[in-house]
Amino acid sequence: MIIDEHLLILVLALLLDRFMGDPDWLWRRLPHPVVLFGKAISFFDRHFNLRDLPGLTRRRNGVMSIIALLFGAVIAGWAAHGLLGFFGWLGILVEAGLVAIFLAQKSLADHVGEVSKALRSEGLDGGRRAVSRIVGRDPETLDEPGVCRAAIESLAENFSDGVVAPALWYAVFGLPGLFVYKMLNTADSMIGHKSETYIDFGWAAARLDDVANWPAARLSILLIAAGALAKKGISALGNTIRVAVRDGGLHRSPNSGRPEAAMAGALDIQLAGPRVYGGEVVREPMINGSGRDIATVNDVDSGISIFYSACTMLTLVAFAVFLLLL
C-alpha cells in the first residue's frame, strides 16, 4: 500500500479514535493487541533474562530478544495488511479500526480528565487516586499542585508516544511499522528500566525506543504550539516554542522533555523538577522555571483543550499531505 493510502487510513483512524476511543466492551471479551505483545515480551523475559547469567550474556540475550520480537511484529503487520487487502474498501475500513486501536487520543484525555474531576469532587485524596492510574510516582507525596503537574506531564509525554509516534510510524511504514513501534514501546515500558533486573536485558529495547520516538517528540512541539495558538493566542505560540527549545533537553529522557517543555510553555507553568518514585527522590531541573510555580485544576483542563487542538492539527496535516500526494 503506498503512502497516500496510509494517510487516508490514518485520517479515518484518528477520527475514529477521537470520537470512539477504546471500546471497553470489546476488550472485556478479547485480548487487546498490546496485551498480546506484552505476553510475547514476557516469554522472552522469563526464558532469557535469568538471574544467574552474567550481565554481558543478559545484554546479548536482550538484543537478540528484541530483534526476534520486532521481526515477529513485522511479519504480523505484513500478514494483517495482506489479508485485509483482499477485501477492498471493507478492508480499508477494518484497517482504519485496527490502527485506531493503537492510538490514544480519547483514552488519554479521558484519563487525565478523571484527575481534574476527582480533584473537584473528592479533593486531594481523590486526585491522588486518579493520578496514580496514569503516573508511576508515589501519589502520597503529591500535594494538589503536584497532582496537577503530574497529570499535565503525563498528558504531554503520552501525546508524543501514544498519538504522534504511532501515527507517524503508520503513515510511513504501514501496519508493519505501527506494529514494530508498539512492540518496541511496550518492551521499553516492561523491560527498559534501569533496575538490577533489566539494566542489561532491557538495554537494547530502551535505546531503540529512544531512537523510534525521536522524530515524534520534535513534531509534537509544533503540534502543541499549534494547539496553544488556537486556544490561547499568538503569545502562547511563542512561549511554547521558546520553552521547548530552551528546556526540552533538561529531562532525563531524550524525548519526553520535548512535549513536556512545550506544554509547560503553552500553559506558562513549571513542570518536572524533583519527584519521588518507589520511595526514591529523582532530582531533575525544573522545566520553565520562570513560569507559574502553582499548577491548578484549571491548568489540567486547559492542557486537555490544547491537547485536543494538537490532535486536530495532526489530523489536518495528515489529510493535507494526503491531498498533496494525490
Side-chain angles (χ1 to χ4, degrees), residues 36 55 89 109 130 145 164 170 223 230 239 245 249 252 263 292 299 314:
L36 299 179
W89 276 101
V164 181
Y170 178 77
L223 294 170
N239 206 43
V245 171
R252 58 179 172 169
M263 189 63 79
R292 286 184 292 110
D299 291 318
L314 175 62

Side-chain angles (χ1 to χ4, degrees), residues 278-302:
E280 296 185 7
V281 178
V282 175
R283 300 194 179 278
E284 290 186 359
M286 191 68 72
I287 291 175
N288 193 27
S290 61
R292 286 184 292 110
D293 60 353
I294 301 295
T296 67
V297 177
N298 288 336
D299 291 318
V300 178
D301 295 338
S302 293

Side-chain angles (χ1 to χ4, degrees), residues 30 37 48 62 86 100 110 143 161 194 207 210 239 273 282 325:
L30 295 174
F37 290 176
F48 299 104
F86 286 109
D110 285 349
D143 56 10
D161 61 19
K194 294 183 178 180
R207 299 292 77 75
D210 287 342
N239 206 43
V282 175
L325 289 176

Side-chain angles (χ1 to χ4, degrees), residues 300-312:
V300 178
D301 295 338
S302 293
I304 294 172
S305 179
I306 291 171
F307 163 80
Y308 266 140
S309 290
C311 291
T312 298

